[in-house]
């Protein structure tokens, strides 16, 4: 029989394979690996791996089944919260906020996730959230707020050489175009 450390190692290997499959846009493989990782991580009591596997599952489902995606992200949030894993909690809150953005153009969870990510120093997460806030605020016609969020993203992206820089500039250009500026 496998020992808990062996099961935990297998869970880690599976979650890495799930992330790699997501990177290749191979959703079937990502789901299979993430499910295996989640099962093993649960058996071994590895909450961070559970959270990561649930994040992969939620992202895989987001494009086809929002309730299933939301359930995965909520479970990750609850696990992280109970275990005191602040960064995993923020990541799950961000994902839940993204779903709210898709469904209702709501920003409440995104703003909470941004505040918490800022407090943790998770600047890449802050930059991505600012991009999402810029987009949703632009869609709601809140052009000043959209521009503010895009400029914040640009500043962090330039300072830390993040891949979010190009989109922050595109959003700023779109806001200026909508203003005929």
């Amino acid at each position: 029989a496998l020992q808990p450390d062996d099961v935990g190692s297998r869970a880690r290997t599976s979650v890495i394979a799930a992330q790699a499959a997501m990177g290749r846009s191979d959703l079937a493989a990502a789901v299979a690996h993430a499910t295996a990782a989640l099962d093993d991580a649960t058996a071994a009591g590895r909450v961070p791996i559970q959270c990561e596997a649930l994040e992969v599952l939620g992202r895989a489902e987001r494009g086809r089944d929002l309730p299933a995606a939301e359930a995965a992200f909520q479970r990750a949030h609850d696990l992280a919260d109970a275990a005191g894993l602040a960064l995993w909690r923020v990541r799950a809150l961000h994902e839940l906020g993204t779903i709210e953005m898709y469904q209702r153009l709501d920003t409440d969870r995104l703003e909470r996730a941004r505040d918490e990510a800022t407090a943790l120093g998770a600047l890449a997460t802050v930059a991505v959230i600012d991009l999402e806030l810029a987009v949703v605020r632009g869609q709601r016609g809140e052009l000043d707020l959209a521009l503010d969020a895009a400029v914040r993203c640009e500043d962090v992206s330039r300072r830390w050489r993040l891949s979010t820089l190009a989109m922050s500039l595109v959003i700023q250009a779109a806001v200026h175009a909508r203003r005929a500026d």
Side-chain angles (χ1 to χ4, degrees), residues 89 94 132 139 176-177:
R89 184 184 176 287
H94 171 212
E132 292 173 339
Q139 289 177 339
H176 287 295

Side-chain angles (χ1 to χ4, degrees), residues 6-172:
D6 296 334
V7 175
S9 294
R10 190 172 67 193
R12 186 77 199 126
T13 300
S14 294
V15 83
I16 291 168
Q19 292 283 14
M22 282 297 289
R24 293 188 313 271
S25 298
D26 184 351
L27 296 183
V31 168
H33 289 300
T35 300
L38 181 59
D39 291 345
D40 285 343
T42 301
R46 302 280 178 91
V47 177
I49 298 173
Q50 288 174 276
C51 291
E52 188 171 359
L54 287 163
E55 184 179 85
V56 170
L57 290 170
R59 286 182 176 173
E61 291 297 338
R62 189 168 47 204
R64 57 188 179 195
D65 186 348
L66 277 178
E70 186 172 17
F73 295 136
Q74 187 63 55
R75 183 173 169 200
H77 179 273
D78 294 346
L79 283 167
D81 193 40
L85 300 173
L87 184 58
W88 281 111
R89 184 184 176 287
V90 166
R91 288 174 66 141
L93 183 60
H94 171 212
E95 295 291 356
L96 289 166
T98 300
I99 289 175
E100 283 185 350
M101 177 187 75
Y102 288 152
Q103 290 177 323
R104 299 181 296 281
L105 295 180
D106 189 358
T107 61
D108 290 344
R109 279 184 169 166
L110 282 177
E111 290 168 1
R112 282 197 342 253
R114 186 188 186 286
D115 290 345
E116 291 182 25
T118 300
L120 289 173
L123 299 179
T125 300
V126 171
V128 171
I129 293 170
D130 275 336
L131 275 181
E132 292 173 339
L133 289 170
V135 169
V136 75
R137 288 177 173 151
Q139 289 177 339
R140 293 188 329 199
E142 301 166 345
L143 299 183
D144 290 341
L145 294 174
L147 188 59
D148 290 346
V151 168
R152 283 194 314 266
C153 180
E154 177 191 2
D155 292 344
V156 170
S157 299
R158 284 190 191 282
R159 181 169 184 193
W160 300 104
R161 293 180 165 81
L162 301 175
S163 63
T164 47
L165 176 61
M167 281 305 301
S168 70
L169 297 173
V170 167
I171 292 168
Q172 289 176 62

